[in-house]
Amino acid sequence: MKKEDLNRRQFIATAAASSVAAAASTAIPAFAVLTRTSGKLAILGGDPIRANKSWPDWPHIDDQVVEAATKTAKSGIWCRIQSANGAVATFEKEYARLMGTRFCVATGSGTQSLHTCVEALGIGPGDEVITSPYTDPGTISGILSSRALPVMADLDPESYQLDPAEVERRINENTRAIMPVHMMGQPAHLEKIMALAKKHNLAVIEDAAQAHLSEYQGKKLGAIGALGCFSFQTSKTIACGEGGAIIGDNEELMDKCYTVHNHGTARNGRTELIGPKYRMNEFEAAILLAQMAGVQERFRRRNENAAHLTARLKGCPVVTPQKLYPGTTSGSFYLYAMSYHKEHFNNLDRSRFLKALNAEGISLSPYIERGLHREPWVDHVLRNKVYQKMYSAARLQQYRDELSCPNCDRVCQEMAMLWASGPLLASRADMDDIADAILKVYENRNQLT
Ligand SMILES: *Cc1c(COP(=O)(O)O)cnc(C)c1O
């Protein structure tokens, strides 16, 4: 009880310190705040912790963004090949600088970036790439588009990241690359994954689609493997609708990425390779450039808010925030992810917990319903004639037999996460709403049946 009283007092102090929050709370007498983590659950008719308050909007829109889109429209320079120093070329330089790599190639999406990397590394039919089943379909799409085999390794159930021991178990003579996914924007266990790659002579393509500006052992994610991929799809922490980027330091490989993404046509104008057309357009780049000035500040804020939330939830048995690996210098918080523990909630289903929270005005999501190893594409691929020609019947049978990923299944069942791009830009008092709602629902769990 003592600890909570302190939390409530801290909440009041924080609210009072901020003039905006203080103005908003003048209508609420202090005792209303004091009773906010006890009492009747809102789902049973009690007062909700958070009512009639919104979260910061996402994507980030300001005058500069609108101006950039208008200016691009009026310029008539809409495609990158119309200008050597247009918005796309400028964005590539700017993003490479931000990430600390020598080169960047912008693309039309994160999925396009990943496919470009697979193609540029010469990975194709007969080859295997080890990746995570707990991810956006875009991760495996890049592998499948090149008709290579995405081999799924199971997770560390506390970090939601690839388990390096599971990765190693799945390496065979046809494995060409590992594609770790930095899930939720936090670093996968890159130290072990990079060591495995070195030992077995494999390329590492980092799927950093959720992990802009996140750092591991002092280096930006995406800049550690041979190539790193990002997404700027609307929901991501840097957004332009649909967009992507590849970063890297190897000039020859990055030139190859450019050629692949430019329908196989190199910078010198010669058409050399097989390649789709995945170029970012000038509108997308202009909108990204217009947001760059505030990007670092927004990341700092999300990190601060996440740290506060984690501190407030420490010791609350019903949820455990995502485990971060040693070496995580800073996270990215595309999602603020937690595991829900039914055994500390009278064995009630996660849906009961989420509904009770929702009634308190806090909306958490179960996120990915089932891992990619449970989606119907597996049957499609195993029946596909390219795969049947390029992989032995024994290998395809073994592939099916080894598809099980029980830790991933468990993560899918336990996940309770907050879409963080906008919400984690809110105030500390807003973070306290999230924590208070979780604590209230937990403390009053016996009201639910
Ligand atoms: C969003 C995402 C992708 C795909 O990026 P798009 O820009 O949507 O194509 C790939 N991997 C992960 C982990 C993602 O979150």
Side-chain angles (χ1 to χ4, degrees):
M1 281 323 262
K2 280 252 163 60
K3 201 177 101 209
E4 282 159 37
D5 284 339
L6 190 65
N7 285 338
R8 284 171 206 140
R9 253 180 254 127
Q10 280 168 342
F11 170 78
I12 297 165
T14 316
S18 147
S19 58
V20 180
S25 69
T26 45
I28 310 166
F31 65 81
V33 176
L34 279 168
T35 56
R36 55 191 260 133
T37 61
S38 60
K40 201 167 180 186
L41 292 176
I43 198 168
L44 301 172
D47 290 332
I49 292 281
R50 185 181 172 89
N52 308 316
K53 281 196 233 165
S54 58
W55 297 98
D57 284 335
W58 196 259
H60 175 84
I61 307 167
D62 60 16
D63 291 347
Q64 277 126 298
V65 169
V66 174
E67 224 166 83
T70 311
K71 209 171 135 199
T72 304
K74 287 183 179 161
S75 75
I77 311 276
W78 292 359
C79 163
R80 74 170 298 164
I81 62 162
Q82 292 175 262
S83 166
N85 50 12
V88 177
T90 309
F91 174 73
E92 287 174 337
K93 285 197 196 88
E94 183 79 1
Y95 199 68
R97 195 185 54 74
L98 191 65
M99 293 293 124
T101 54
R102 291 175 66 206
F103 307 102
C104 170
V105 172
T107 66
S109 72
T111 304
Q112 293 178 4
S113 290
L114 290 161
H115 182 212
T116 300
C117 293
V118 169
E119 226 16 81
L121 285 164
I123 296 169
D127 296 333
E128 303 188 9
V129 177
I130 301 176
T131 192
S132 170
Y134 191 65
T135 183
D136 183 274
T139 304
I140 59 163
S141 164
I143 303 167
L144 292 169
S145 296
S146 291
R147 303 299 187 267
L149 196 61
V151 174
M152 279 162 295
D154 207 358
L155 309 181
D156 171 342
E158 293 173 6
S159 67
Y160 324 133
Q161 312 283 5
L162 270 179
D163 177 347
E166 288 293 308
V167 172
E168 184 159 34
R169 229 161 52 76
R170 287 164 202 255
I171 295 173
N172 66 30
E173 69 281 6
N174 293 321
T175 308
R176 297 285 313 281
I178 306 173
M179 191 182 279
V181 181
H182 301 300
M183 210 46 191
M184 319 294 182
Q186 311 299 332
H189 203 313
L190 276 187
E191 190 175 308
K192 286 190 182 163
I193 289 170
M194 293 304 292
L196 275 181
K198 194 164 171 208
K199 181 171 153 198
H200 297 274
N201 195 25
L202 307 172
V204 171
I205 305 168
E206 289 178 71
D207 181 344
Q210 308 187 346
H212 324 76
L213 286 172
S214 194
E215 279 181 15
Y216 182 76
Q217 297 179 342
K219 261 192 120 172
K220 292 279 190 302
L221 292 186
I224 298 169
L227 296 165
C229 293
F230 295 86
S231 166
F232 307 117
Q233 184 270 340
T234 299
S235 70
K236 309 287 157 110
T237 54
I238 301 177
C240 68
E242 299 281 7
I246 305 163
I247 58 170
D249 283 324
N250 179 326
E251 185 164 13
E252 199 185 329
L253 186 54
M254 288 299 290
D255 271 343
K256 202 147 175 209
C257 286
Y258 181 91
T259 304
V260 167
H261 108 301
N262 189 38
H263 46 45
T265 304
R267 290 187 199 273
N268 67 11
R270 304 305 301 270
T271 302
E272 298 173 345
L273 312 167
I274 300 172
K277 184 157 171 264
Y278 283 166
R279 296 191 303 238
M280 178 178 273
N281 70 46
E282 291 285 300
F283 288 94
E284 292 160 339
I287 282 174
L288 289 167
L289 280 172
Q291 296 170 63
M292 285 328 235
V295 155
Q296 308 259 23
E297 168 57 22
R298 286 192 283 278
F299 278 85
R300 196 189 55 72
R301 179 150 206 150
R302 287 194 200 97
N303 271 288
E304 260 179 35
N305 275 332
H308 180 66
L309 203 45
T310 302
R312 285 284 325 268
L313 293 172
K314 200 171 156 70
C316 177
V318 73
V319 286
T320 317
Q322 179 177 17
K323 175 176 95 182
L324 306 182
Y325 290 116
T328 301
T329 327
S330 84
S332 182
F333 293 102
Y334 168 55
L335 311 165
Y336 184 89
M338 294 169 273
S339 297
Y340 164 71
H341 303 298
K342 190 181 173 138
E343 64 275 22
H344 295 292
F345 205 69
N346 294 341
N347 275 322
L348 294 176
D349 271 359
R350 175 181 57 183
S351 63
R352 300 280 289 142
F353 175 67
L354 296 182
K355 275 187 191 141
L357 269 180
N358 199 50
E360 300 296 340
I362 298 301
S363 170
L364 298 185
S365 158
Y367 194 40
I368 294 168
E369 212 173 305
R370 64 190 89 76
L372 288 172
H373 61 298
R374 293 191 175 275
E375 294 289 341
W377 65 269
V378 174
D379 289 327
H380 173 80
V381 159
L382 295 180
R383 272 194 245 110
N384 176 282
K385 67 175 185 250
V386 176
Y387 286 86
Q388 290 190 344
K389 273 194 185 144
M390 299 306 299
Y391 300 82
S392 70
R395 176 63 186 116
L396 294 181
Q397 186 56 47
Q398 180 199 28
Y399 182 79
R400 185 187 282 288
D401 293 344
E402 290 179 354
L403 261 181
S404 116
C405 293
N407 287 343
C408 174
D409 296 339
R410 184 178 138 195
V411 169
C412 289
Q413 301 216 320
E414 292 183 345
M415 179 55 54
M417 67 81 178
L418 177 78
W419 291 104
S421 296
L424 281 197
L425 297 176
S427 69
R428 184 162 280 212
D430 290 308
M431 296 305 108
D432 283 315
D433 280 350
I434 301 171
D436 286 344
I438 293 172
L439 294 172
K440 177 183 170 187
V441 168
Y442 171 67
E443 284 169 12
N444 296 286
R445 63 195 176 282
N446 289 339
Q447 292 174 19
L448 297 170
T449 49

